[in-house]
C-alpha cells in the first residue's frame, strides 16, 4: 500500500484506466467467464467468486484424487507399504469444501482490488524480461516470510490453534485430500501473502497466476508422504509428515515452500527418519547428497544452536 499512497501523493503515476482495460482483456478476467447479467463492480465480484470457487474445486479434486489413486491405491506397495493408518478422508473433503466456498468470498475481494490499487501489470514490456527473475525472488521472499510467521502464530497461540488451525491438524495421518482441509479464515490468513505481493512491488499477472497454481499443487503434494524430490532447500512431503505428528511435531517444519525460515528460527527437523517402505528413498537422497551438503554448509539446519555454541 506504500506504492498506492505514493500514487495518491503524486510521486508515481499509474494510469488506472489503462490497467483496468488490460485487466478486462486478460484471459483470466472473470467477466469473460460468467456474468449473471450484473454490471459494475458487484457483477465483477460475483463473477470472480464463481470463477475462483469452480477453478479451486476442479483443481483440488483433480490433483488430490490423482495423487491419492497413484500413491495410496495403485502403487501403495511400491511407495507406502508400511503406511497403515486411519485416514479421515471424508472429514478432509468436507472441510476442503467449506474452506473453498467461504475463502473464495475473501480472496475475490483482493482479486477485484488488484487492478485498481496494486502494481500488477499485464505487458512484459512495462518492465522488461530482466525484471521477471527479480519479481520471482521478491515474491518468494515476501510469501515465505509472511506465511511462515502466520503459520507459526497459529501454532503458538492456543486460541488461534484451537479455533482455527486444529481443523487442519485433526488428520495426524495425512493424504492428498488433507491439502485444503482448513478453517476458511486459517486458509485465507496463509493465502494473503500470495495475493498481496503485487501491492508491494510490480508482478506480472501471468506470474501471479503461476504462483497460485504452484501453491495449490504444493499443498496437495506435501500431504502424500512420498519424498520424490528430497532437496532440503524445499520443505517436501516427509517434512510435512513430521509437522502433522502429535505433540512437538506441529512446531517443526512450519514454512511454505522452503526450509530457510525454519533453519533460521530453529524449527527445522530433518525428514530422513520418515520412510514408509519406499526402497528408492535412500537412492533419491544419495543423488542429491552433494546439493544437500552444500546447502547445509551455507545454511545449517539449526542456526540457533550454532550461535549458542560459539
Amino acid at each position: 500500500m506504500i506504492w498506492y499512497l505514493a500514487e495518491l501523493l503524486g510521486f508515481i503515476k499509474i494510469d488506472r484506466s489503462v490497467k483496468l482495460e488490460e485487466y478486462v482483456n486478460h484471459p483470466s478476467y472473470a467477466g469473460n467467464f460468467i456474468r449473471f447479467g450484473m454490471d459494475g463492480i458487484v457483477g465483477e465480484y460475483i463473477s470472480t467468486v464463481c470463477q475462483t470457487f469452480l477453478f479451486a474445486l476442479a483443481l483440488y479434486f483433480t490433483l488430490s484424487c490423482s495423487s491419492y489413486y497413484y500413491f495410496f491405491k495403485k502403487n501403495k506397495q511400491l511407495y507406502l507399504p508400511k503406511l497403515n493408518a486411519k485416514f479421515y478422508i471424508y472429514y478432509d473433503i468436507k472441510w476442503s469444501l467449506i474452506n473453498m466456498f467461504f475463502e473464495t468470498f475473501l480472496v475475490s475481494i483482493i482479486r477485484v482490488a488488484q487492478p485498481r490499487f496494486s502494481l500488477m501489470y499485464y505487458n512484459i514490456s512495462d518492465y522488461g524480461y530482466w525484471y521477471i527473475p527479480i519479481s520471482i525472488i521478491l515474491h518468494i521472499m515476501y510469501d515465505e516470510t509472511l506465511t511462515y510467521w502466520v503459520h507459526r502464530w497459529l501454532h503458538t497461540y492456543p486460541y488461534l490453534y484451537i479455533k482455527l488451525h486444529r481443523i487442519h491438524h485433526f488428520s495426524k495421518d495425512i493424504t492428498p485430500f488433507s491439502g485444503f482441509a482448513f478453517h476458511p479464515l486459517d486458509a485465507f490468513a496463509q493465502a494473503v501473502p500470495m495475493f498481496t505481493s503485487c501491492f508491494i512491488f510490480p508482478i506480472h499477472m501471468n506470474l501471479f497466476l503461476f504462483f497460485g497454481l504452484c501453491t495449490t499443487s504444493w499443498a496437495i503434494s506435501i500431504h502424500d508422504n512420498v519424498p520424490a524430490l528430497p532437496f532440503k532447500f524445499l520443505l517436501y512431503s516427509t517434512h510435512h509428515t513430521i509437522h502433522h505428528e502429535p505433540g512437538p511435531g506441529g512446531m517443526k517444519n512450519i514454512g511454505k515452500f522452503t526450509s530457510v525460515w525454519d533453519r533460521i528460527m530453529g524449527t527445522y527437523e530433518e525428514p530422513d527418519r520418515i520412510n514408509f517402505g519406499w526402497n528408492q528413498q535412500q537412492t533419491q537422497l544419495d543423488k542429491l547428497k552433494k546439493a544437500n551438503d552444500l546447502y547445509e554448509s551455507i545454511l545449517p539446519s539449526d542456526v540457533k544452536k550454532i550461535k549458542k555454541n560459539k
Side-chain angles (χ1 to χ4, degrees):
M1 299 305 289
I2 295 175
W3 286 87
Y4 181 60
L5 179 61
E7 183 184 351
L8 289 176
L9 295 174
F11 292 113
I12 60 173
K13 290 184 179 181
I14 299 176
D15 192 331
R16 290 294 168 186
S17 62
V18 172
K19 292 295 180 187
L20 281 170
E21 184 179 352
E22 292 173 339
Y23 163 66
V24 169
N25 291 326
H26 193 271
S28 67
Y29 175 58
N32 296 329
F33 173 72
I34 192 169
R35 197 67 179 181
F36 292 112
M38 297 182 183
D39 296 323
I41 196 169
V42 174
E44 181 186 329
Y45 173 72
I46 293 174
S47 298
T48 303
V49 168
C50 294
Q51 182 199 55
T52 304
F53 175 69
L54 293 175
F55 183 76
L57 198 67
L59 201 57
Y60 169 72
F61 279 107
T62 299
L63 295 177
S64 59
C65 288
S66 299
S67 180
Y68 182 78
Y69 172 73
Y70 186 81
F71 291 114
F72 287 73
K73 293 296 182 180
K74 183 180 180 181
N75 297 297
K76 185 180 188 302
Q77 290 306 309
L78 174 62
Y79 291 106
L80 302 166
K82 296 180 181 178
L83 180 59
N84 298 307
K86 186 176 182 180
F87 302 122
Y88 295 92
I89 292 175
Y90 291 111
Y91 170 91
D92 286 339
I93 292 176
K94 179 189 76 173
W95 273 105
S96 295
L97 291 172
I98 293 170
N99 169 32
M100 285 185 282
F101 180 78
F102 287 103
E103 187 190 357
T104 290
F105 288 94
L106 300 173
V107 164
S108 295
I109 294 173
I110 303 178
R111 287 193 61 195
V112 170
Q114 283 173 341
R116 293 168 170 85
F117 304 107
S118 78
L119 295 168
M120 185 84 75
Y121 68 100
Y122 303 85
N123 297 310
I124 292 180
S125 58
D126 289 355
Y127 292 90
Y129 283 97
W130 65 270
Y131 179 70
I132 295 294
I134 294 176
S135 63
I136 291 173
I137 294 170
L138 289 173
H139 175 86
I140 292 174
M141 291 173 61
Y142 175 83
D143 192 11
E144 284 289 317
T145 301
L146 268 66
T147 303
Y148 174 87
W149 286 104
V150 169
H151 192 184
R152 180 164 176 161
W153 291 332
L154 285 163
H155 279 276
T156 301
Y157 299 103
Y159 181 84
L160 293 177
Y161 182 82
I162 292 170
K163 294 296 183 180
L164 299 178
H165 201 53
R166 185 169 62 175
I167 288 169
H168 182 63
H169 280 267
F170 181 82
S171 292
K172 306 300 181 185
D173 301 300
I174 52 178
T175 73
F177 293 106
S178 310
F180 274 28
F182 288 89
H183 187 289
L185 293 180
D186 177 354
F188 178 68
Q190 295 193 62
V192 163
M194 201 280 291
F195 282 93
T196 58
S197 64
C198 59
F199 291 88
I200 308 301
F201 50 83
I203 188 167
H204 193 280
M205 181 61 171
N206 292 347
L207 193 56
F208 165 77
L209 295 173
F210 173 73
F211 278 125
L213 183 61
C214 286
T215 297
T216 301
S217 302
W218 193 254
I220 301 298
S221 71
I222 60 174
H223 290 86
D224 63 24
N225 300 292
V226 180
L229 183 66
F231 177 34
K232 293 179 182 178
F233 171 71
L234 304 173
L235 284 178
Y236 47 85
S237 58
T238 43
H239 283 106
H240 205 68
T241 302
I242 290 172
H243 179 69
H244 273 264
E245 288 180 338
M251 283 301 291
K252 298 294 183 181
N253 303 333
I254 297 169
K256 184 175 182 178
F257 291 116
T258 78
S259 63
V260 172
W261 273 107
D262 282 298
R263 288 169 177 267
I264 292 173
M265 298 307 300
T267 54
Y268 181 80
E269 182 171 330
E270 289 286 353
D272 298 347
R273 66 177 174 81
I274 304 294
N275 188 332
F276 293 111
W278 182 33
N279 58 20
Q280 290 296 309
Q281 186 165 322
Q282 187 57 50
T283 302
Q284 293 297 98
L285 281 167
D286 291 341
K287 288 179 181 178
L288 289 166
K289 187 178 187 306
K290 289 184 178 179
N292 285 331
D293 287 347
L294 176 61
Y295 178 50
E296 178 71 20
S297 68
I298 297 171
L299 186 61
S301 56
D302 196 336
V303 174
K304 279 189 170 182
K305 287 184 179 178
I306 292 173
K307 287 181 178 178
K308 286 180 182 179
N309 292 333
K310 285 185 177 181

